Amino acid sequence: ETCDAIAAGFRVSPKQVTLSDAFVVKYSMDSQTFLDFHRDGSLFSCIISLSAATDYDGGGTVFEDDTAYRPERGSGILFFGQRGHAGVEVTRGCRFILTLFFECDSFSTADLVDLLELVDF
């Protein structure tokens, strides 16, 4: 369904949108507690929460404009992979997320960067 949503939003064939990578990330006090600001190498990135919001304190995803998201279990966010973002520090408990990276045959990451520079993103 995510590939279909990306395809519809950008008016391309769903066959052109592909999942290029997927993995689970654990944030907890005994492992990685946060992730510094970065840009993904994908065209589109998706983060789905696998933990209930009550399972941890802190956490979530923050973008360079200070917009922050802390979705409940089963919910998530979809964004341009080149948009700067970070994993907010978990201060109690354990947070699991499913990270998905998507590509589209019609666009390259370089094309997107050029487009975003045009709109001063």
Side-chain angles (χ1 to χ4, degrees):
E1 287 185 36
T2 305
C3 288
D4 291 340
I6 293 170
F10 288 89
R11 298 185 184 134
V12 297
S13 167
K15 293 178 183 178
Q16 293 178 297
V17 180
T18 57
L19 176 66
S20 61
D21 200 5
F23 52 91
V24 173
V25 178
K26 175 185 177 184
Y27 293 98
S28 70
M29 301 309 296
D30 63 350
S31 63
Q32 178 179 355
T33 60
F34 70 97
L35 184 60
D36 284 328
F37 274 97
H38 64 282
R39 296 177 194 281
D40 297 330
S42 61
L43 188 59
F44 302 102
S45 298
C46 180
I47 299 171
I48 299 172
S49 178
L50 302 177
S51 302
T54 56
D55 289 347
Y56 60 93
D57 290 333
T61 301
V62 64
F63 291 92
E64 289 175 323
D65 65 359
D66 289 328
T67 304
Y69 295 91
R70 195 171 184 266
E72 186 53 66
R73 180 181 14 215
S75 297
I77 56 174
L78 175 68
F79 55 95
F80 292 119
Q82 291 299 297
R83 185 174 180 196
H85 60 285
V88 177
E89 183 177 16
V90 168
T91 58
R92 179 200 61 84
C94 188
R95 174 186 181 223
F96 288 95
I97 60 171
L98 174 61
T99 301
L100 306 165
F101 295 138
F102 296 90
E103 300 300 334
C104 179
D105 291 342
S106 298
F107 295 98
S108 70
T109 303
D111 292 336
L112 179 61
V113 169
D114 290 343
L115 177 65
L116 293 177
E117 286 176 357
L118 287 174
V119 297
D120 196 29
F121 185 75

